[in-house]
Amino acid sequence: MEPSPNHKDPENNMRNMVEVAVTFRILQLLYKDDMQVADVFTECASLKQKISMAILSPHHDQVKCMQQKHETQQQNNEFLKCLWILGDERTHLKGGSIWKSLILDAKARGCFFQADESKDLAKVICEVNEDLRQLDELVRGESTLFQNTSWKVVFSSMFRASFSKIESRETKKLVFLMLLKLSSGWRPRGSSTAASVSESPYFELMKEFKVKGLHLICTVDVMKETHLYTQVIKVWDILPFHEIAGLVRRLDGIIGSYTHEYIDRCKARCVKRGSEYREYPMKWPGTSEISQYKTHANSCDEMFIDSASRIDCIENVKVRESLILMKFYSLSTAAVNTVMYGCDGRDLGIPFELNEQEKNVVSFDKSSFILGRSGTGKTTVLTMKLFQNEQLHHLACEGFHEVMESEGEAKQEGLHQLFVTFSPKLCYAVRQQYGEWKRLTCGGGSSSPSSLTCIEDVDQMMLSEDLLDQFIHLPHDVYPLIITFHRFVLMLDGTVGTSFFARFPNIRHLIYGNKTSTSRLSVLEQFMSFKGVTYERFYAAYWPHFNWWIVIGQKASNGILSRDDYVALCDRRTSIFNAQKREIIYSIFLQYENIKVENGNFDLADIVNDLHQRLEVEGYAGDMMDYVFVDEVQDLSMRQIMLFKYVCTNVHEGFAFSGDTAQAIAKGIGFRFEDIRCLFYKKFLSGSKKGTISTIFQLSENFRTHAGVLNMAQSVINLLCHFFPLFVDELRPESGRIGGELPILLETDMNKNAISLIFQRNESCSQFITGFGAEQVVLVRDESLREKVVKIVGKKALVLTIMESKGLEFQDVLLYDFFTTSSFSNEWRIIYSYMKDKDMLNAPFTTMCSCFDMDKHAVLCSELKLLYVAITRTRQRLWICESAGFSEPIYDYWKTLNLVEVKHLSDSFADKMQSPSGKDEWKSRGVKLFCENNFRMAQMCFLKAGDKYSKKLAEAYHLREIGWNARASHPERKKLLQDAAELFSSIGKNKLAAECYYEIEDYIKAGCIYRSESMLEKAGDCFCLARCYERAVEEYEKAGAFAQCFSACTKGKLFERGFEQLHRWGECGDARLKFLCKGAHYYFLINDSESMMKFVRSFYEKSEIRRFLIK
C-alpha cells in the first residue's frame, strides 16, 4: 500500500484509517470470494469448529479502532495457517530489517500485491481518503459541501448536549461525516436497527444510524422553505443503545399527534436505485397549508372549559425537557465549527430554525406590526429580521464591489439599523446574540462564553454605550445600533438644536464646559435620576399636595392639549372619564406643571415634547436610519413612538413594531396595536405616497411555559377583552402543547404568614432551610411590600416587584399578596358579573354581582395587566398566596374553570417548593439582574455564587444609584457616593471611582485617580476645580493641552510659568493672544509695567499692541 495521510487525533496518535478500511475489506473478500478459504469455512461449519483469525498492529490506537469496527475484543494465540501483511514497500525496504527478506521472498513466490491494483481495494482507499479530506475541510471551516446537499439536516439542542459529552475528537468528526453523507442522500445498506425503532408504529419515519458504538436517532419531517414544503432530516439525539427505547417512546407520542396527511408526506420517498442507493427529499407547492397537529380534543380538555381557549397537550414533561419546544439548528459549516470547538452544552450562538409563523414575519419585506403574548418569540423575530437585513446588505455590497473593481476601490456604504427597546437586559441580550451570529457567519469561532455570563463584559457594554451621545457621523462599526429608549431620546436630544437640558443652569456647564465625566449621556442620566419625575416620585412627592377642586385658567404650553381639547375627548369611544372628571384632571395637571417648574423638575414627556418642537422647526440632521425595530412597543406612548418617524424615511419598508398590549403596565400608557397602525398611517406616511399597510402579524406559539400556566393567563386576557375591549388586542389563544401542573392557590392557618412559614419556620431548630434557588422568585406588587418581605426572607430568595420582573423569566414564581395590596379592593366582585354572563355562576353567588361602570372600575384594566405579567413570568410552577384581602372572586373564577389546585401550606409542602441552585446558576441570574440595573438583588446572587468581584461591583453600582436618588439628603448622598467610590477603587474600577469623587466634589481624589490612569487632561480639570492650579498646569503640560494649561495659569495667576510654556510650544492659536492679554492686564493692575510690557511685546501684531494699550 502507498503511504496515505495519517489521521491525527488531539493527542497526535497515528491512526491510518485507510489501513483499517482495507483490512476489513480483505476479510469480507476472503469470506465471499476465496474458494479455498470458503471450503475451509464450510468444513469447519459442518464439524462445528471455530475458525481463528487475528489482526495485529504495532499501533495501539489502530488496534482500538479495528476492535470498535469489528465489535470484538477477543485475543487468540492459536496457530495461523495464513498470514497477510499490510504496509508500504519502500518504507520496509529502506529499513534494512527482516522486512526486506520477507518482501523479497513474497515477490519470489508470487504473493506480493499492490492494493490499488485491486478494483475493490482501490475503491475503498478512494472512499476513505475522500472522507478524511471532507472531515478536515469541515473542521477547518473550508467546506462547501453543505451548499450542494440534497437534504436539509437539522439537529436538536438535545443532540448538541449529548454531542458535547463525547470525549473522542475522532468520533465527533465521524458523527458529522455521517450527517454529511445523509444530507447527500446516501443511506447505509443492511444497517441493524434497534428493536424499539423497528417495532415503533412510525418506524417508516424514524431512522437509526450507528457511529462508533453510539446511535443517531433521526426522523423525516416536513418544513416550509420559501414557497415549498420539503422533507428534512431531524436529528434528535446521539445516545448509547440502552437509551434508545426511551426516546422512541417519546417520539411516538409526538408523531402520534400529527395529522394523517402530515405523516403521509413524511413517509413519501423519492428513491434512486443503481450502483448506489440514494434517497431524495420530496417537495410540494406551498400554496396549500399542511396542518401538522390534530385539532381534536384530548385529555387536557377538562383543564379549561372555554373551548375558544382550549390547549391540546401532547407532552406532560418539564418545559426545559420538552421535545416539542426544543430548538433545532441547520447543519452548516458554522454549526460544525461551533459544536466541535465552541460549545460545552450551552445554547449555540448560531441562528436556530424558526417555525412557519416566525418565517412569514421575518421574510415580510414591508413595514410590519408584530403582536404576540408573553413567550411567543417576538424579540427573536425582530433580531432575525435585523440580522437578515445585514446579511442581504453584505451580499449586495460584495456584488457591487466586484462590478466596481475596474474603476478603483468602491466606497463601503454601511447599513444603518436601529433596534430600540425599553429593557436594558433585553438590549444587552440582543446585542450579544447579534454579535455571536455575525462572528459565526463571517467565519469566526464561537465566543466563550456564548451568553452574558461575565459581569465584566456587561460592565464594558454599559461603559461603551456612554461614548455614543448623538446620531451625527457615527462610525459604521457601531451599527446596528441596539439601545434603550431612554438612550435613544438622549442621543436625539444631543443631535437636534439646543439641548433640552441647557435650560438648567446647574447642568449646563457639565454638558458644554466640562470634560471630566465619562460622557454627556452619563451626566444627563445622573441628572434625570436626580431631577426627573417618575411615577413613584409623582405618587410620593406630588399627589398628596394637589387641591382637587381648584380650577386654574392657565393656558397650556406647546405640545400639550388645551383644556377644551382635553375635555372634548370625553366624547370618544375610548374615553373612560366624563367631562366633569376631565375638568378636575386638567386642573390637577396644571398644578403639577406649576409645582414641577418651581422645583426645577421635569419628566420624560417634557423632553419628548421639546424634541418634537425642535424637530418640526429645525429638522433632523443626524444619520438617517435604513431600518428601525421597536420592541416592547406597548411600553411607549403614542407621542414617544412618533419620534421614530424623523430618523427614518424608509416608511414603506423600514419599520417593525412588536409588543403585547396585555403587558402594557407602564403607568399612563394604554392602547391597541390597531391604534399604532392608525398612527403610522396618519403620521409616518404623511407626505409620502400612501399605500396599503400590512396586517398585524400574530405569533401564537408559546415557547416559555406549559398549558397550565397558559390557560390561567388566557383567563385573565378573557376578562380584559370583556371589560376593556378598546384597551387590549383580542388574539387567538396561544398554542402550547406541553402539559404541566396546575397553578396552586396556597392556604395558611389563621394568623399565619406564608412567607414566614416558608423561610423562617425552623429558625429555632437545627433543620436547615434551603431557600429558593436562582430560578425561583417571590413577586410582589410594589416596593413597599418588597421591603417588608425582604426583611423576613433575607438572602433566602429573590424578591422582585412585578415591574422589576418584566422581561425576566423563572422556573418557579410565588405571587404574594397581589390582591391583599390591591387598591381595587372589594370591586374585584365585578368578576362575578362576567361569570354570570358566561353562565358560570352558581345561584348563591348571583346576589354578589354588580354592574360594570367604566368610571368606577377603570383601575381594573391595569390590575389585570399587572396580574397577567406576573403569571407569565413562570416557566414551570406558579403559587399564589394571600394573607388577607379580596381574592375570593377571582379564586372562584379560576376554580370554576378548573384552572387551579388549592393546597394547604405545610412544612413538607414548603420543603418541596424550594429548589436549590449551583454557583453557575446564581452567577447567571446575577448577570441578568445586573443588566436590568437591579444591583441590589444582583449582589445577593453573586454572593451565593461566591463571586466576590461581581458582588462588590454590583454593590458599588447600587450605592451610586441610591446616591443619585433625589430622596437622599446631601450628607447621605455624599456618604453613599464616597462608599461607592471606595468599592469601585478596591476592584480596579478607577474611572468609575473618580466619577463618584467628582460628583461629591472631592476633586483632588478624582484628579489623583485620573492621573494614575494616565487621563491627564481630566486630572487637570479636577485639580482646576479644586483650585490646585500648579498641579493642574503640570497635568495639562504633560497632556499637551495648551488652551487648558493657559486657562489654569490665568486662574492661578501663574503667568510666568505660562509664559515659559508659550515660548516652548510656539504657535497656540487664539489661546496664545488670550493668555498674553490676561497676563499683561494682571501686571497692569499690580503696577508691574516691566512684566506687563514683556507680555505686550510678545503680541504678534502692532495693531494688537496698540489696541491693548489704548484699552
Side-chain angles (χ1 to χ4, degrees), residues 690-853:
K690 294 189 178 182
T692 58
I693 307 179
S694 78
T695 56
I696 295 174
F697 288 98
Q698 183 190 342
L699 299 175
S700 58
E701 185 171 347
N702 192 284
F703 301 99
R704 177 180 294 169
T705 189
H706 57 77
V709 174
L710 291 180
N711 282 330
M712 174 177 271
Q714 185 61 43
S715 73
V716 177
I717 294 296
N718 290 346
L719 292 174
L720 268 169
C721 293
H722 177 78
F723 292 117
F724 306 97
L726 302 178
F727 294 92
V728 67
D729 297 279
E730 188 166 5
L731 308 177
R732 60 182 178 271
E734 299 167 87
S735 61
R737 302 184 183 276
I738 306 173
E741 57 186 276
L742 296 178
I744 293 173
L745 305 180
L746 290 176
E747 293 183 344
T748 60
D749 295 329
M750 189 69 69
N751 300 323
K752 292 289 183 69
N753 183 281
I755 297 295
S756 297
L757 283 172
I758 297 171
F759 299 103
Q760 283 189 338
R761 65 188 186 280
N762 292 316
E763 278 193 341
S764 59
C765 305
S766 58
Q767 183 179 345
F768 176 73
I769 298 177
T770 304
F772 276 8
E775 289 297 315
Q776 298 179 292
V777 69
V778 179
L779 290 186
V780 295
R781 173 184 294 275
D782 51 36
E783 294 178 5
S784 173
L785 182 56
R786 183 191 63 193
E787 296 308 309
K788 292 177 183 177
V789 172
V790 167
K791 286 181 180 178
I792 300 172
V793 171
K795 292 182 171 56
K796 295 187 182 77
L798 291 169
V799 184
L800 303 176
T801 65
I802 298 172
M803 183 68 79
E804 288 172 335
S805 74
K806 195 168 182 293
L808 300 172
E809 55 188 62
F810 299 85
Q811 280 295 111
D812 304 324
V813 168
L814 170 60
L815 179 60
Y816 180 67
D817 267 4
F818 178 83
F819 302 100
T820 301
T821 55
S822 172
S823 60
F824 200 48
S825 62
N826 285 323
E827 299 305 326
W828 282 101
R829 291 177 301 172
I830 193 63
I831 291 175
Y832 288 129
S833 70
Y834 172 81
M835 296 173 68
K836 183 179 179 181
D837 291 344
K838 300 295 182 181
D839 294 326
M840 298 164 55
L841 201 59
N842 297 324
F845 295 101
T846 54
T847 56
M848 303 179 70
C849 295
S850 59
C851 295
F852 181 76
D853 183 334

Side-chain angles (χ1 to χ4, degrees), residues 58-170:
H59 303 295
H60 171 75
D61 285 330
Q62 201 174 51
V63 171
K64 187 176 179 181
C65 188
M66 290 183 185
Q67 286 173 339
Q68 290 174 344
K69 195 169 182 70
H70 195 56
E71 294 187 332
T72 178
Q73 296 186 11
Q74 296 179 353
Q75 295 182 354
N76 198 308
N77 297 320
E78 294 184 24
F79 174 73
L80 301 176
K81 297 180 180 179
C82 181
L83 177 65
W84 290 72
I85 300 173
L86 275 65
D88 174 39
E89 176 191 5
R90 286 174 294 179
T91 301
H92 291 315
L93 287 175
K94 289 177 182 177
S97 63
I98 192 173
W99 290 107
K100 182 175 182 179
S101 58
L102 280 172
I103 291 170
L104 294 176
D105 178 65
K107 284 185 174 182
R109 293 186 292 106
C111 295
F112 183 88
F113 306 98
Q114 292 287 349
D116 55 6
E117 292 177 359
S118 165
K119 186 182 293 186
D120 282 311
L121 298 183
K123 183 181 178 182
V124 170
I125 293 170
C126 289
E127 288 176 351
V128 175
N129 279 329
E130 177 63 16
D131 287 349
L132 294 177
R133 182 188 66 78
Q134 291 178 2
L135 269 176
D136 289 336
E137 287 183 357
L138 276 176
V139 298
R140 289 199 305 267
E142 301 170 358
S143 178
T144 59
L145 297 169
F146 291 113
Q147 299 174 10
N148 304 310
T149 55
S150 303
W151 286 82
K152 178 173 183 174
V153 178
V154 295
F155 60 90
S156 72
S157 52
M158 184 166 61
F159 164 85
R160 175 259 306 160
S162 299
F163 185 88
S164 67
K165 297 175 185 176
I166 298 175
E167 295 181 359
S168 167
R169 186 62 57 86
E170 203 69 41

